Amino acid sequence: MAAAVSSPQLLNSLSVDPDAECKYGLYFRDGKRKVDYVLVYHHKRASGGRTLARRAQHGDAGPAARSPRQDLPLPGKAGPLGAGEPEPPLDYHEDDKRFRREEYEGNLVEAGLELERDEDAGPLGAGEPEPPLDYHEDDKRFRREEYEGNLVEAGLELERDEDTKIHGVGFVKIHAPWNVLCREAEFLKLKMPTKKLYHISETRGLLKKINSVLQKITDPIQPKVAEHRPQTTKRLSYPFSREKQHLFDLSDKDSFFDSKTRSTIVYEILKRTTCTKAKYSMGITSLLANGVYSAAYPLHDGDYEGDNVEFNDRKLLYEEWASYGVFYKYQPIDLVRKYFGEKIGLYFAWLGVYTQMLIPASVVGIIVFLYGWATVDDNIPSMEMCDQRHNITMCPLCDKTCSYWRMSSACATARASHLFDNPATVFFSVFMALWAATFMEHWKRKQMRLNYRWDLTGFEEEEDHPRAEYEARVLEKSLRKESKNKETDKVKLTWRDRFPAYFTNLVSIIFMIAVTFAIVLGVIIYRISTAAALAMNSSPSVRSNIRVTVTATAVIINLVVIILLDEVYGCIARWLTKIGGTQAQGRAVSELQLLLRTGRGLAPAGPPGGRDPGERDPRRWGLQTAGAPGSQFQGLPHQGGEGCQRRFVGRPGDYVYIFRSFRMEECAPGGCLMELCIQLSIIMLGKQLIQNNLFEIGIPKMKKFIRYLRLKHQSPSDHDEHVKKKQRYEVDYTLEPFAGLTPEYMEMIIQFGFVTLFVASFPLAPLFALLNNIIEIRLDAKKFVTELRRPVAVRAKDIGIWYNILRGVGKLAVIINAFVISFTSDFIPRLVYLYMYSENGTMHGFVNHTLSSFNVSDFQNGTAPNDPLDLGYEVQICRYKDYREPPWSEHKYDISKDFWAVLAARLAFVIVFQNLVMFMSDFVDWVIPDIPKDISQQIHKEKVLMVELFMREEQGKQQLLDTWMEKDRKKAEPCNNHSPAPAAPPPPPPPDGPDFPGGSL
């Protein structure tokens, strides 16, 4: 603490450029102690002057007065009492009484009373006008002083800076000295590299040659960072222990704990340190939630661009990772982990593996699409539909306004449907199911490699502290209980306290789901009404493109609604999280809430960069997936196969109506898969381009520009000079706070749903996902490096609940694709016709086989076409797509036997497809081991080396002890021959250090 004592004298003798030694905010004013963390608060100097001065008179001289280990106030430009001013003794009882008086008088003022205080010996002097008193600001200042005093007692060193270039904002810089770092590293069981080096087992034979060739081929796409180079040696890691310091290389103590580790240690101290209001404790999360501090964050290592910028990890990340010019290179994952921590490193590692796995999926998808393109001219059903010689007259698509139409007019739709509805689609669905299983197994193996490389083997995550909202509600309940019966027992929230919040959660979620279904219904009604309106148009071109126009506009409306509801649901989720009564925010509980509560809400409490606040209570998962890929389900009921859709749509003369006015829309003669493909492609591309990329780029830029205008408005004269001399902590404060990884995971999980759930209808989905992710990786990297405050490094050994969600989506994809192929495409009806009804073993006559006949005289009153002669001839019989008896049959319009044969084949296909693909996926899961063999061998080798190391150390201690005892025995033998001698002193304990034979590595 010697440096802390000399700080006031240092501040009085500053050089001409006071920021030169502290590197513009990266160090304390002495230029030696590094800033590991920053607390930010708002202060009002004028309104709090009287109360602060009165506290100084009574002895409340700031946080340092509360610690018996510190004799001076917090060093800084503007401490509570001024630099170097001695502090009177503190009377806690008087301070508590004064605090209660101030709170009570503040409540009187809020009740409408006017107060005037007369203190003859007041600090403002007789007759001096008093500034207005702000009780809330005084309360926050009181809590800050107590909290900072407790931080000093915990061993941290603080320095305050209120004379900043940001008006009304003060900063508390925190430094963790060496002894605190060692103590906390031991508490947290941080694995640190020892002096012991050992060789990593290398592959031999053919595999070694293959790896060497691959390394040479991929060398141009490797990032130019030291951490990414292949290593043949590794340091043995061991949990840090102050008693075993001789095991570690402590030659450079300043770099032994990197900035990531230092900020993590300080954050752990901030979490467990509390301040008390009477008997109610409040930690850093509660202080942030209640506005006592406005922000808390570690500092970036420095600037990332500029000619005179000192080289640092942030600049290296910007050049080799966060630049669009290096999109073709691998990510420097080890450097990302070194700078941002394991949790963020695992996210980008998972995103990189997912993007790499999309390459083979994209190639196969392109081949499937090209196969459909190459065989479209040989497809007999589409050729029959395009053949005008058949002159098949189809029934109207809507009542009254729509007339009869020729099937040949749907030739373009039929040909386009073949691009996505062909035999290769089934193969691609099976391939993507196996691809999903292989991707999950590949990621598990990659994750184990990272755990080994990052020394996370054996690491177990612990439950986190209670949520700030829970603490606030407990405090409120405690105050009510104390005011009634003065009991001091520990207060907990019961089910009666939680019930209103749970009931509100349930009602809100049900309401949001109902809104989602209402919008889907509204889109269906829009399609029906728009199709009827366009059918009345006199232009033949408009009437010929009704289906494409209706489908495209309806999907665009659906896309806009999805984006708007996503933001609205986010606001509702934040409110639901705020009123929630759940205590734990630990990972196990939060992951369960992820499944039960459905969502992505960003919790308002918690210091930026700690545990992911969205992971704590992410409530939009189910709602967002229901609005994005789940919105495609609206196409399945009224656009299912020709037999299935008729159960929802009806038939000519007996259609199904919504609200007795809107007739359900029919499936196109060319098949429903084409419309499903249009919906999927527009929503997927629109969501990625607009919401994911445009919003992520545009919104931060807009916020940054608004902050620039505000800053220029505050000091327009010296704005340029103001910007040039900003401290590091001031520059970082203007950045956006880190909101957690939940939005990033949600974005990719929804994309994964697009790629797997409906891949049977859109084989090009993996290709568009690949192109998006190539940009997404660099976009996210640029955001983390340049636009966001540096998050606190959080240790994690896996991606958490997101892995289980991915597995669930993969299993669900098998079922959905089975139903899409079976009921939405014509694949099963074609097989049934080919093997049961075809006369010559070909598909000739398939189109006519799938069409039923209807006598136009059987139309219901008021539903027949207004212009029955629109085609130029009178129509007696029109055709529609269904399996029903003809009008001349005894049981006319009843379901025919062909329908039941096709339905049985559909259900059989679903069962066989689902069980076969899931069996193959489980087989892939069983064949590929979760832990690579070389990694398991290396882990075993580390354990053996660690045992040998400690055995040698124990043997060295025993040998040294035996040597000392032998020397003492020899010295005592001559004395025993003459006269008694005093007993020899016991041997000194073996020293710890590099010179100790047993401990030297």
Side-chain angles (χ1 to χ4, degrees), residues 485-595:
N485 49 20
K486 306 295 183 182
E487 292 183 6
T488 58
D489 296 337
K490 185 176 180 180
V491 177
K492 293 184 179 180
L493 296 183
T494 63
W495 69 271
R496 296 178 182 273
D497 301 310
R498 293 189 177 97
F499 179 76
Y502 286 162
F503 182 75
T504 306
N505 273 257
L506 180 62
V507 172
S508 301
I509 292 174
I510 293 176
F511 172 75
M512 288 187 287
I513 294 176
V515 169
T516 303
F517 279 101
I519 291 175
V520 170
L521 180 61
V523 172
I524 294 176
I525 294 176
Y526 165 80
R527 293 172 61 100
I528 297 171
S529 58
T530 304
L534 292 178
M536 300 171 62
N537 195 292
S538 58
S539 174
S541 60
V542 173
R543 286 185 293 176
S544 62
N545 296 314
I546 288 178
R547 187 167 294 275
V548 176
T549 304
V550 169
T551 301
T553 55
V555 175
I556 292 175
I557 293 174
N558 202 2
L559 172 64
V560 174
V561 171
I562 287 173
I563 296 176
L564 293 178
L565 284 186
D566 189 25
E567 301 303 321
V568 173
Y569 286 170
C571 298
I572 297 176
R574 285 190 289 270
W575 175 70
L576 292 178
T577 304
K578 187 175 181 180
I579 68 172
T582 305
Q583 175 180 4
Q585 69 177 18
R587 192 174 188 186
V589 176
S590 67
E591 291 176 349
L592 180 61
Q593 289 176 342
L594 179 64
L595 295 176

Side-chain angles (χ1 to χ4, degrees), residues 52 55-56 58-62 65-66 81 88 90 95 98 142 145:
L52 183 60
R55 285 184 175 173
H58 283 276
D60 188 8
R66 305 180 187 279
L81 291 177
L90 182 64
D95 187 76
R98 180 171 59 259
F142 176 78
E145 291 170 356

Side-chain angles (χ1 to χ4, degrees), residues 972-983:
E973 284 180 355
C975 300
N976 292 335
N977 296 333
H978 300 282
S979 59

Side-chain angles (χ1 to χ4, degrees), residues 405-462:
W405 56 284
R406 293 188 178 93
M407 175 173 279
S408 59
S409 63
C411 176
T413 304
R415 291 173 61 87
S417 297
H418 180 72
L419 299 177
F420 306 99
D421 187 5
N422 55 71
T425 303
V426 181
F427 161 76
F428 191 55
S429 299
V430 176
F431 172 81
M432 288 303 296
L434 298 179
W435 172 87
T438 306
F439 162 60
M440 301 305 298
E441 292 304 312
H442 178 46
W443 166 244
K444 282 196 294 186
R445 292 170 62 86
K446 178 68 173 181
Q447 189 172 253
M448 284 304 302
R449 291 186 181 277
L450 293 177
N451 285 339
Y452 165 73
R453 202 160 69 202
W454 295 349
D455 298 323
L456 292 174
T457 53
F459 167 71
E460 296 294 337
E461 297 188 56
E462 299 177 356

Side-chain angles (χ1 to χ4, degrees), residues 868-919:
L869 301 177
D870 183 63
L871 295 179
Y873 55 87
E874 184 179 359
V875 177
Q876 298 293 335
I877 300 294
C878 66
R879 309 294 296 274
Y880 62 98
K881 199 169 185 180
D882 201 353
Y883 292 101
R884 291 183 181 272
E885 297 290 342
W888 52 83
S889 173
E890 181 181 358
H891 305 283
K892 64 177 183 178
Y893 307 133
D894 286 349
I895 297 175
S896 64
K897 296 180 180 179
D898 298 342
F899 168 81
W900 298 112
V902 173
L903 179 61
R906 292 180 192 273
L907 296 178
F909 175 83
V910 170
I911 296 174
V912 173
F913 182 89
Q914 174 184 338
N915 288 278
L916 177 63
V917 173
M918 286 193 173
F919 170 77

Side-chain angles (χ1 to χ4, degrees), residues 305 365 457 469 511 539 667 955:
E305 58 183 354
T457 53
E469 294 82 6
F511 172 75
S539 174
C667 185
Q955 292 174 2

